[in-house]
Amino acid sequence: MPAVESRFTWDAIHEAVRKGQVDVAREGVRGRLVESPQDPVAISWLARIEYESGNQTEAINLLADVDIDTPEYGIPAAGLRATWLIATGEFEAALAQLRSIQSRMPGEALVHRQLAQVLNLIGRRQEAASHVRELCILGDVTQNELASLLSIRLPFDTRESNALFGEGDTAAGQQWTSGLAQARVLLERGASHAALSMMRDAVNRMNKDAEATRDPWMISLFGRTAVELNDDHAVTAWLASLSPEVARSADHWCALGLLAGRPDIGRFDEAAQFSRMALKLDPTDWSTCAYLEGLMTQIGDFGQANDYRERALWIQNSLLASNRLAASGKDNNASATMQSLIDTLRSLDRDLEATLWAIIRARQTKAVKGDRAETVLAEELQRLQETRSSRETPGSPLFEEQESLIALADAFLDEIKPRFLTTLDRNTLSQNTLGSKGAIGSGDPTTADSKSDVAIRWKTYGDNRGISFRYANADPVKNRDFQLYEQFGGGVAAFDYDWDGNVDLYFPQAAGTPNQRGGKRPNELFRQVDQGFDEVALTAGCDDRGYGLGVA
């Protein structure tokens, strides 16, 4: 027995680990567990050995046996388990573990940082922003994390060389591991229909599988995109997918506001209330500001319309300043750009963020520690930290206002849902879009997608009819890095120029620059003859070579 005990001493186990004798170390730790099955140190050691040996699942399961409330060892074991869950892509389980730690250590910056990193990675930007704001209140926030607060709608990676996640090409989307995050990337790139199609598939799967986890953030972004694209099939699918949890999402309230304000619905008062709630949940959404400007103009409140217009411009300015800052790095323009960002944030009443940016600027410009400017900033930060708290917790004014609007939203939805169900083809919906008990996708999902993906499908006939025109925005044609005037195209006039009863087409051309007297290619006129077209600009004397941007 004494010989066996010596093999199980921690000194012997440490020595085996140091020498890389994994099997010896594993045997020693298991021996300790035979003697004391609940020993948190032995469980943690065995988990580490299994993880390093490539047995990640077993290691994660082992750490789950350590009670999080075990003095000294519970929280570290839970933190290590969360780290491994993140590394293996088990994000929902990692979030649950991190939130369990947070409930016991609400002021721990590392926990808020990891929560923000995971939530940003999976596209739940609004939730991530709440944890970054907590880092701001704690005064422990990085420049990259501050930048993530400038636009909550856009995808953002706050990992900053965090070894937990490994390396990868985030620009190519390899690290955006959830459908929600990938949809945000598509929306940022302007591929709105592709994003809508992706989200529709995800919502279909949620509704077909009764046991599937319903993602309120995905449903909300799907609804917003559907309303923005005026895709009534997708809007109907969204309306059939709603759950109480969506009320937490700014995208949900934005979708309601856009829907209520549609000309065919005309509920402008509700539209304004819903949109204001969206803006409170996401104060960085300049497009909602612009929409509210339009609503206020429509009801004749020009003072508020101007306020929303200015706010939209300030938000856009903050994004432009951030982009310039990222491009400038640490050159001579960085300090001035950062000051512009600070001024803009103060205009938006986001003083805490502005002060933190000011502290970063002071440090980057080598302000001497203890110097008056830095002391003033530190005092201002302390004052703001004492007066700020979490924005969306029960009992907060924002939370209570949100709760009071839910009844209004429910009444609006109860009234509007039947309208969409009767407006669209009931047979199509029953077979392809809405199944039993309001579930989406009970029929053939391929058929459903093919009928509702886009409202209009295009086919090119010009080449077969004799129309060979191609607009050239420059010479040579540019596909990127445009001047402002190179983005618009030249338009087309459809009219009967020779009064023969057929529609003829006139295309302005550019193929140069506006300050040139003549471009490389002329405008072209196509006369319709026998279901085809002949090019007759030279004959008609309208082969102008100026830089064309439109025609009437």
Side-chain angles (χ1 to χ4, degrees), residues 51 82-84 86-88 110 114 117 159 161-166:
Y51 192 85
T83 298
W84 289 347
I86 293 169
T88 54
L110 178 59
Q114 285 192 306
Q117 289 169 346
R159 288 172 291 175
S161 304
N162 190 322
L164 296 178
F165 296 88

Side-chain angles (χ1 to χ4, degrees), residues 326-346:
S328 63
K330 293 186 179 181
D331 64 19
N332 295 331
N333 295 323
S335 179
T337 301
M338 197 175 291
Q339 185 59 55
S340 171
L341 175 58
I342 293 163
D343 294 340
T344 300
L345 289 171
R346 293 202 188 281

Side-chain angles (χ1 to χ4, degrees), residues 471 484-491 549:
Y471 183 78
L484 185 62
Y485 56 81
E486 293 168 343
Q487 302 179 47
F488 302 125
L549 283 177

Side-chain angles (χ1 to χ4, degrees), residues 126 131 198 204 236 290 353 429:
Q126 187 181 322
H131 291 286
M198 172 187 286
N204 282 347
T236 304
E353 290 173 64
L429 289 173

